[in-house]
Amino acid sequence: MTELLAVVTITILAVISPGPDFAMVTRNSLLLSRRAGVLTALGIGAGVCVHVAYTILGVGLVIRRSILLFSILKLGGAAYLIWLGFKMLRAKPAGPLEKLDVPALSDLGALRTGFFTNALNPKTTVFIVSLFMQVVEPTTPLLLQVGYGGFIAAAHIVWFALVALFFSSGVVRVRLLRLRHWIDRVFGALLVSFGLLLATTSVTKP
């Protein structure tokens, strides 16, 4: 029971903390559609499953002990965030709001964006690997460990789906959309900042 409470508490605190996942879901929900935001959240959940899978299989221990592997993951994730950010920074003032009826991102594109934003985020690697190595006991049954992983992924999906619902509804969204190119630039700057921060942080074992 103590282990379960620790996993639940740490997961909730980690999920609600601002980061690239939050920025991407908010941006897609606000500027594109509720559907795009929710699908981005589902993609994030799928990315979490990747981290959980390699951690349970033992690959996480290898990453934990290898500065080289962690550096490659960190720089790859940083490059992806910076690339996404620069794309948003190039946003230009658009025409009438009615043009938003044409989606700028396909369903698969929204899923893919959420997936890679999370799967390539080394902070998620650190979180999940550390959680399983320091909180979950080695004697914990495999089925229960899989259950923990399912909860972590579900917590990400539920939280970011709620974020998507919030930012895709109401009069506030309509008013903010008039400044959508500036919003895109702000979130682009945030993603570039996250990427640069990851790239320049000294490498330590997770």
Side-chain angles (χ1 to χ4, degrees):
M1 182 61 68
T2 301
E3 181 180 276
L4 175 62
L5 290 176
V7 170
V8 170
T9 302
I10 294 172
T11 297
I12 292 174
L13 293 175
V15 169
I16 64 178
S17 62
D21 293 340
F22 183 86
M24 188 55 63
V25 171
T26 302
R27 181 264 177 187
N28 285 352
S29 303
L30 184 59
L31 300 187
L32 298 177
S33 67
R34 175 174 295 180
R35 183 183 181 87
V38 172
L39 287 172
T40 302
L42 289 173
I44 289 171
V48 171
C49 290
V50 172
H51 294 291
V52 171
Y54 67 62
T55 298
I56 291 178
L57 290 173
V59 179
L61 183 60
V62 176
I63 296 175
R64 179 183 176 87
R65 294 182 176 178
S66 173
I67 291 180
L68 176 60
L69 284 178
F70 185 68
S71 297
I72 293 173
L73 176 63
K74 186 187 74 164
L75 293 176
Y80 180 71
L81 292 178
I82 292 171
W83 175 71
L84 283 178
F86 273 122
K87 285 181 64 178
M88 295 180 193
L89 284 171
R90 295 168 57 190
K92 299 178 180 179
L97 291 177
E98 289 75 13
K99 290 189 176 181
L100 289 174
D101 292 337
V102 180
L105 192 65
S106 66
D107 289 352
L108 181 59
L111 281 168
R112 184 171 56 243
T113 298
F115 175 79
F116 284 115
T117 298
N118 185 275
L120 295 177
N121 187 354
K123 285 191 174 182
T124 308
T125 300
V126 172
F127 159 59
I128 293 180
V129 172
S130 297
L131 182 65
F132 274 82
M133 297 299 170
Q134 298 176 19
V135 177
V136 180
E137 296 291 336
T139 56
T140 299
L142 177 60
L143 186 60
L144 186 55
Q145 293 188 41
V146 172
Y148 288 156
F151 169 76
I152 296 171
H156 279 77
I157 292 173
V158 170
W159 169 251
F160 289 114
L162 290 174
V163 171
L165 293 176
F166 176 79
F167 282 100
S168 62
S169 62
V171 179
V172 174
R173 178 175 181 264
V174 174
R175 292 179 178 177
L176 288 176
L177 284 177
R178 300 182 187 280
L179 303 172
R180 59 192 182 278
H181 63 287
W182 286 111
I183 295 172
D184 226 350
R185 291 172 184 175
V186 168
F187 282 114
L190 286 175
L191 289 179
V192 171
S193 298
F194 283 132
L196 291 175
L197 185 61
L198 286 175
T200 56
T201 300
S202 60
V203 178
T204 56
K205 295 178 184 179

